[in-house]
Amino acid sequence: MSILFRIDSIKKEKNTFFICGWAVSKNGARVSIDIDNARLLYTIDWIKRQDVQRNICVDFEYPFDEGFVIKINKPKSREIELIFSDNENSLKRRIIFNFSFLDGLNKKLKISTSILKKVGNIFIEFSRYFSKTLLFLRFYGLKKTYQKVIVKINNYFKGDLENWFKRNYPSNKELNFQREYCFEKKILISIVVPVYQTSPSLLSDMLDSVINQTYKHWELCIVDGGNSPDTKKILDSYSKNDSRINVEYLTENKGIAGNSNAAIAMATGDYVGLLDHDDTLMPNCLFECVKSIHEHEYKVDFLYTDEYSTFANNGKIRTVHCKPDFSPDTLISCNYICHFLLVKTKLLQSIGGFRTGFDGSQDHDLVLRLSTVAKNIVHIPKVLYNWKTVNSSLSNQNIDKCIASSIKAIEDHLKDLHLTGNVIAPIGKFSRYKVNYDILQKSLVSIIIPNKDHIQDLKKCVNSILKQSTYQNFEIIIVENNSTEKKIFTYYEELKNNSQIRIVTHKQKGFNFSAICNDGASMAKGEYLLFLNNDTEVITPNWIEELLMYAQREDVGVVGCKLFYPDNTIQHAGVVIGAGGVAGVVIPHIDYRNDFVCNYSAVTGACVIVKKTLFETVGGFDETLFKVAYNDIDLCLKIRALGKLVVYTPFAQLYHYESKSRGIDSVNDARFRQEMQDFVSKWIPEGYQDPYYNPNLSLEHNDFRLKE
């Protein structure tokens, strides 16, 4: 059988169903889809699917669009059959609609929205694997399919971290290659370890992990501030057997910062690596670090790697921490860099190493200070460090002290950056911090709202701005776009009585969202442009302040907010380039990941603020290539190309009643497909990786899950 296909999702909007998926033919012929039900009104649109080309069409060529979106209006039957055909074969796939049943069940049993959503997510997840299982069965037979299903089921209920880790652990062949590899330049790595009353087994594991490194040009600088006989016995034994291990015994404990600095003083290497006494390095850790230094022509100031954490008592994996490339706002919000950290020795010495008085958050303070002076910060997206969770650690014993230390470190960092504001630790968010930057000037903010008809949406939006907003120096510019309903013009006349509101007319025929927004921007009087969809509603009264406090910074170009669907589920918490093959909203499945300020490559234009000067510098929204779709992402990337940051803040929150204004773009016309292809051609070259999204994470899902 030559046809391969998959149903990705079935969505419902009012009385219309959208079936999304892909289909290709291994013989290179175009696949067609028919529905075996003459009573149905439906359309089928084909779209480009880069992910299918990349992952499915590996051994054969398929020159046609792979993805499809089937739009079915008011289906009278709860069952349909899709017929996939090429010039040799045809396949049937039965689809069953149970939405009306679920809706009725929800009303009768009064099931909460959140519970219904969870049930729906489980249904969608298993539906996705079911279609993949059928495809696997067709090509590999019953035995192999059974084995694969058992593995998947075990992974689903037990967690897939262990298996993911095994798949990504370097093979013996790789490790042997690294042991024999000769770099152009010998770089000495000084690994510093402050030791204090360490468990003998954990201490031995740490020492063994260094000795077993495939890169051998290192020295281990250990300072013991605990004076434990068991610790001394182990350290003496290891140092006697390996001349690269140097140990100094302190007469008094100087605290974690003082002990670490004493170890740094022993270092003679080109770079200093920071290793905790109860953690371990992966065997390829130093090799990968030195390799990266060579690739960057020895200009690396400091680098960091991904890591995983395990329970010290049983070795089970808790989490795999796949980090973004350097993200300054993320670093202020939390010390996401953490381990493994390798710093140029001269740079570390120039800032004085660790500072006393920051115990518990001394590493956060160190990285913040390094980030202000470093010119070349490198991230290695490989899991090279094992952070072991020990209940007796300082961070678990003295949480209040850690929080106070981090707040002080961030406050000092802001002074170094010549920024003013106060730092708080949001309640219940230990190790997460928020900066309330001072609003330097009460600048005029121009809120630009495109609109065509939709009087109820617009009323809700405007009323929420006027009633909720605590920041009052704003103007609202409603860009009228070819409305036909008389009542909207009556409403416009009412709005004209408010001196903060202006109605301007976009006279161009047809729908060009970029041109509409550009028209509004050209008539704006404000220093800042806040583009807002007409189907949004303000939740947080200080939403403008939360956006403006970042937009006013010289290093920031675009700021976006947290958007919710009407049922209070998250609709937007940042955009990743490459997600779904093009660009997509990401919503972390771990709640805390969308609850702090961080950097992304882009944010959605449903609510976004930008300096007017920057907007004009990049030529505003692209009216030629991106009339409907991807214009907001394109704007973010153009401004990022100027060296500016894109910031997502969860502290400005709005409802977004998405798709009420225009429906789902992907099924409206062929223009969307063309704009998608233009976006990929412009911004996503072969091998592109979004710097704010780790390559170990899946681009096929929007929830930060690990790549399979």
Side-chain angles (χ1 to χ4, degrees), residues 49-68:
R49 286 283 296 267
Q50 296 288 340
D51 57 327
V52 176
Q53 277 289 345
R54 187 166 54 247
N55 299 315
I56 305 299
C57 306
V58 178
D59 300 321
F60 60 93
E61 183 177 348
Y62 188 74
F64 308 104
D65 289 344
E66 306 86 359
F68 60 81

Side-chain angles (χ1 to χ4, degrees), residues 527-529 550-557 609-616 639:
E527 184 181 344
Y528 295 88
L529 307 177
Y550 290 95
Q552 69 181 356
R553 278 175 26 194
E554 283 300 317
D555 60 333
V556 173
I609 192 170
V610 59
K611 289 188 186 75
K612 188 175 183 181
T613 53
L614 278 177
F615 184 81
E616 292 172 341
I639 292 177

Side-chain angles (χ1 to χ4, degrees), residues 331-345:
L331 181 60
I332 289 174
S333 297
C334 63
N335 181 18
Y336 79 93
I337 287 179
C338 218
H339 312 108
F340 176 63
L341 180 63
L342 191 72
V343 187
K344 188 173 286 185
T345 305

